[in-house]
């Protein structure tokens, strides 16, 4: 679906809008926005500013992530576009459901003289979320319909190829996240090269990243049962995030290789595994030096050992760094999802450990309860009564308390009684 004629045509049109702003950066801006994984991908795409700086050109990319770099406060489009006369806004919501993105798209649609909105998602437009958004007069579905009307005159764009359901329902960081990364990089790379005829070829190069990555499936599977912590070369200086270093927030925010060498390396034993993910673009002498220091602490660094050290190295003809990022994403997705399954956070193909911190996740938790508890145990209870009870409960625990919904027959009545305190189903 990513290579379909309609998708490639829209990618080329959006790339042309990006190129226009690249040629007039003083009055233009490109904003990428999303929640969770989508926001992190917006952050990664904004790293195209590095290429502009290398060419001694003015950066034009900004990112907005729900919660900011620390995921604790709200951001907005207008805060990064002040004084600009031409803004291309790219909102990412894999399920066409995030109120954060819907609000920003509504903002852009009401200001057509400045903003050209682009929406990336992977559901049909008719399946955009129609639930009311607290404090708003619109729904995501109504925003999508307005955007489609504007798309007829090419004043807005909708990129929503049907990539199919996720292996774990709702876990759009996997297939949806990978498709988002490919689309964003295809658009921006084409604009930077001003070679729009090469869009299709560029998108096909990602197939090699998939093929090469999954030739290491056995090594990836061996990591699933491990306790994992990640570090990045250069730390926050490499991330170049809006809020700068976050190391003061706690040890989990220490992310540089130096932090690994200082805090983790001294405590390594033969039961530990160190995995170095690198590309040919990295300084291989540093990789070798780090591996040697690790080998001094543990024997589990040989390729033939049970706890082994391995590397993934991609030699691709186009956009090496982007392919390396995609390969890294695929590996980490596989490892983290496998760990969720082993920890009991997945039932059938549903992620059932839900932290109810916004209306979207509230709706997901409500549907899980509807499917597994109320329909199976309390079929006589009106669902509207249950929704009202859940809404009251949600308002009490919002942003403060974690709601974990783990399905089991023995837990059904306890969840009902402890969660809502209003029904006694026997």
């Amino acid at each position: 679906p990513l290579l379909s004629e309609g998708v490639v045509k829209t990618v080329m049109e959006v790339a042309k809008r990006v190129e226009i702003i690249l040629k007039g950066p003083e009055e233009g801006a490109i904003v990428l926005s999303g929640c969770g994984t989508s926001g992190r991908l917006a952050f990664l795409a904004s790293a195209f500013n590095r290429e502009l700086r290398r060419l001694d050109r003015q950066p034009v990319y900004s990112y907005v992530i729900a919660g900011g770099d620390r995921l604790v406060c709200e951001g907005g489009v207008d805060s990064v576009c002040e004084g600009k006369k031409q803004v291309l806004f790219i909102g990412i919501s894999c399920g066409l459901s995030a109120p954060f993105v819907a609000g920003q798209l509504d903002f852009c649609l009401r200001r057509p003289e400045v903003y050209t909105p682009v929406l990336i998602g992977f559901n049909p437009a008719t399946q955009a979320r129609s639930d009311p958004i607290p404090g708003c007069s619109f729904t995501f579905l109504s925003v999508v319909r307005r955007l489609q009307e504007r798309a007829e005159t090419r004043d807005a764009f909708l990129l929503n190829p049907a990539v199919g359901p996720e292996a774990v329902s709702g876990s759009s960081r996997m297939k949806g996240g990978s498709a988002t990364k490919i689309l964003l990089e295809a658009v921006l790379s084409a604009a930077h090269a001003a070679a729009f005829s090469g869009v299709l070829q560029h998108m096909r190069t990602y197939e090699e990243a998939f093929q090469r990555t999954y030739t290491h499936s056995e090594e990836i599977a061996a990591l699933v049962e491990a306790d994992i912590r990640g570090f990045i070369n250069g730390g926050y200086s490499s991330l170049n995030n809006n809020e700068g270093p976050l190391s003061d927030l706690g040890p989990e925010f220490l992310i540089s290789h130096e932090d690994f060498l200082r805090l983790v390396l001294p405590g390594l034993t033969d039961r530990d595994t160190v995995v170095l993910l690198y590309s040919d673009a990295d300084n291989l002498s540093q990789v070798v030096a780090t591996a040697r220091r690790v080998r001094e602490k543990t024997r589990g660094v040989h390729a033939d050992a049970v706890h082994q050290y391995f590397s993934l190295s991609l030699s691709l003809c186009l956009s090496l760094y982007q392919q390396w990022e995609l390969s890294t994403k695929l590996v980490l997705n596989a490892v983290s999802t496998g760990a969720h399954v082993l920890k009991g956070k997945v039932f059938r193909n549903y992620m059932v450990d839900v932290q109810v911190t916004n209306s979207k996740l509230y709706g997901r938790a409500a549907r899980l309860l509807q499917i597994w508890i109320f329909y199976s145990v309390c079929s006589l209870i009106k669902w509207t009564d249950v929704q009202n009870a859940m809404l009251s409960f949600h308002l009490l625990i919002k942003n403060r308390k974690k709601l974990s919904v783990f399905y089991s027959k023995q837990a059904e009545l306890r969840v009902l009684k402890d969660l809502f305190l209003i029904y006694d189903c026997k």
Side-chain angles (χ1 to χ4, degrees):
L2 294 183
L3 302 179
S4 66
E5 181 179 354
V7 171
V8 173
K9 181 180 178 180
T10 304
V11 166
M12 293 170 63
E13 290 179 340
V14 176
K16 291 177 182 178
R17 298 301 182 99
V18 174
E19 184 189 6
I20 291 172
I21 292 176
L22 289 174
K23 292 179 178 178
E26 294 79 10
E27 296 185 344
I30 300 166
V31 180
L32 306 106
S33 177
C35 307
T37 295
S38 297
R40 297 180 187 99
L41 288 167
F43 162 70
L44 283 178
S46 69
F48 271 81
N49 281 330
R50 285 199 297 260
E51 179 64 14
L52 293 175
R53 293 189 183 97
R54 187 182 69 82
L55 299 173
D56 198 25
R57 300 290 298 275
Q58 180 175 328
V60 298
Y61 298 101
S62 299
Y63 72 92
V64 180
I65 180 172
D69 289 346
R70 298 166 54 184
L71 303 180
V72 295
C73 62
E74 295 186 358
V77 181
D78 54 341
S79 62
V80 296
C81 301
E82 186 176 357
K84 300 297 182 180
K85 297 181 179 180
Q86 187 177 27
V87 177
L88 183 70
F89 172 80
I90 303 176
I92 310 163
S93 178
C94 291
L96 305 185
S97 59
F100 181 79
V101 174
Q104 294 172 336
L105 288 170
D106 172 74
F107 178 91
C108 295
L109 288 168
R110 288 186 284 107
R111 295 164 175 80
E113 69 282 0
V114 175
Y115 295 92
T116 299
V118 179
L119 172 59
I120 294 179
F122 305 101
N123 273 341
T126 56
Q127 293 183 15
R129 189 175 299 281
S130 59
D131 295 346
I133 299 175
C136 299
S137 59
F138 54 84
T139 66
F140 207 114
L141 178 60
S142 68
V143 169
V144 169
R145 287 172 176 168
R146 289 160 54 200
L147 187 141
Q148 285 180 303
E149 293 176 359
R150 289 269 299 278
E152 294 179 0
T153 57
R154 320 317 293 165
D155 293 321
F157 300 92
L158 175 61
L159 268 170
N160 63 326
V163 298
E166 298 284 357
V168 177
S169 179
S171 191
S172 55
R173 64 194 175 85
M174 297 188 291
K175 186 187 296 184
S178 298
T180 298
K181 187 178 191 299
I182 292 171
L183 288 174
L184 287 175
E185 290 175 354
V187 167
L188 303 183
S189 296
H192 277 239
F196 304 111
S197 60
V199 170
L200 185 60
Q201 178 184 358
H202 178 83
M203 294 174 70
R204 281 178 172 157
T205 62
Y206 289 96
E207 293 180 12
E208 188 174 356
F210 279 92
Q211 294 168 358
R212 287 176 178 259
T213 300
Y214 290 122
T215 61
H216 296 270
S217 57
E218 292 185 4
E219 294 99 321
I220 295 172
L223 295 176
V224 170
E225 297 189 38
D227 292 328
I228 296 177
R229 184 172 173 189
F231 299 85
I232 182 173
N233 187 28
Y236 290 103
S237 61
S238 294
L239 286 183
N240 195 30
N241 57 306
N242 286 340
E243 298 178 21
L246 304 176
S247 305
D248 293 341
L249 297 180
E252 66 272 22
F253 290 88
L254 299 173
I255 63 171
S256 71
H257 285 185
E258 290 73 17
D259 293 324
F260 165 78
L261 296 174
R262 178 171 56 90
L263 300 174
V264 178
L265 180 63
L268 289 179
T269 70
D270 287 342
R271 299 180 60 184
D272 296 315
T273 300
V274 175
V275 179
L276 302 181
L277 299 175
Y278 68 93
S279 76
D280 292 340
D282 287 315
N283 186 331
L284 297 186
S285 63
Q286 291 184 358
V287 176
V288 172
T290 301
R292 287 174 176 169
R293 293 187 64 177
V294 171
R295 190 174 290 119
E296 294 174 357
K297 300 295 297 185
T298 172
R299 294 191 301 270
V301 296
H302 303 290
D304 58 348
V306 176
H307 299 286
Q308 59 182 312
Y309 154 82
F310 74 91
S311 65
L312 297 177
S313 181
L314 298 176
S315 298
L316 301 173
C317 61
L318 183 63
S319 303
L320 176 63
Y321 187 78
Q322 295 167 7
Q323 311 305 319
W324 171 79
E325 280 188 341
L326 177 60
S327 181
T328 302
K329 177 186 182 299
L330 296 174
V331 171
L332 298 181
N333 279 169
V335 171
S336 60
T337 301
H340 285 322
V341 173
L342 293 179
K343 292 185 69 176
K345 294 177 177 289
V346 176
F347 176 71
R348 295 179 182 171
N349 73 322
Y350 292 94
M351 183 70 70
V352 293
D353 187 2
V354 181
Q355 185 172 356
V356 186
T357 56
N358 57 48
S359 59
K360 175 184 173 181
L361 294 177
Y362 155 72
R364 181 178 299 174
R367 286 190 294 276
L368 291 177
L369 291 172
Q370 179 183 17
I371 292 171
W372 294 326
I373 297 179
F374 296 106
Y375 278 0
S376 60
V377 180
C378 305
S379 58
L380 297 180
I381 296 177
K382 292 182 179 180
W383 179 237
T384 53
D385 293 339
V386 174
Q387 287 182 309
N388 291 334
M390 288 195 68
L391 179 58
S392 298
F393 178 78
H394 169 65
L395 294 175
L396 290 175
I397 57 89
K398 182 179 180 182
N399 294 326
R400 293 190 297 110
K401 194 172 183 180
K402 185 176 182 181
L403 169 62
S404 295
V405 183
F406 292 100
Y407 175 80
S408 70
K409 288 293 183 181
Q410 296 178 347
E412 288 176 340
L413 296 180
R414 178 178 57 79
V415 171
L416 284 170
K417 185 175 180 179
D418 293 348
L419 191 59
F420 301 114
L421 304 178
I422 57 172
Y423 293 115
D424 184 14
C425 303
K426 296 181 179 180

